[in-house]
Amino acid sequence: QVQLVESGGGSVQSGGSLRLSCTAPDDNYRSYCMAWFRQAPGKGREGVAWIDTDGETTYAAAVKDRFTISQGNGKLTTYLQMDSLKPEDAGMYYCAADPDCSAVTEFEYTSWGQGTQVTVSS
């Protein structure tokens, strides 16, 4: 069920930047691993970026060196800084939480947000 809240989506030109935010509802999330996923119309969700409780980050090859995942507000807010955006980056972006940091697929995440829309034009 939806427990996280995303914000920061919008419409930008190719090469532009956006910063997405994901806010967690309670202090339990301070010890959770967090991730960002995205989904384009007619396609499945794909993992974009991950951050563990030690701050170690992992990125999908398609966004590596362009996107940065980080946390603030005592790890209750998870950010996704997106630079050098391309049209293929467009879609609905979701944050997700993994309480024990063991998830391998999207189906193992326990909390999700409603999503925030990102549009990139050429």
Side-chain angles (χ1 to χ4, degrees), residues 56-119:
E56 183 173 347
T57 59
T58 306
Y59 300 93
V63 307
K64 191 174 180 63
D65 299 324
R66 298 188 298 117
F67 290 12
T68 304
I69 186 171
S70 63
Q71 293 185 293
N73 191 30
K75 298 185 180 181
L76 292 181
T77 302
T78 302
Y79 303 100
L80 186 67
Q81 177 68 44
M82 305 185 294
D83 297 319
S84 301
L85 283 161
K86 305 174 181 179
E88 53 262 45
D89 294 319
M92 188 72 74
Y93 281 70
Y94 303 88
C95 63
D98 176 14
D100 61 7
C101 299
S102 66
V104 177
T105 73
E106 64 180 281
F107 304 106
E108 297 167 288
Y109 287 83
T110 60
S111 300
W112 292 83
Q114 293 276 32
T116 186
Q117 184 70 46
V118 172
T119 301

Side-chain angles (χ1 to χ4, degrees), residues 1-14:
Q1 296 298 110
V2 174
Q3 296 187 55
L4 303 167
V5 179
E6 301 99 336
S7 62
S11 181
V12 298
Q13 294 276 86
S14 293

Side-chain angles (χ1 to χ4, degrees), residues 2 9 11 21-22 26 29 36-37 40 44 77 91 95 104:
V2 174
S11 181
S21 297
C22 170
D26 63 67
Y29 287 81
W36 284 95
F37 290 79
T77 302
C95 63
V104 177

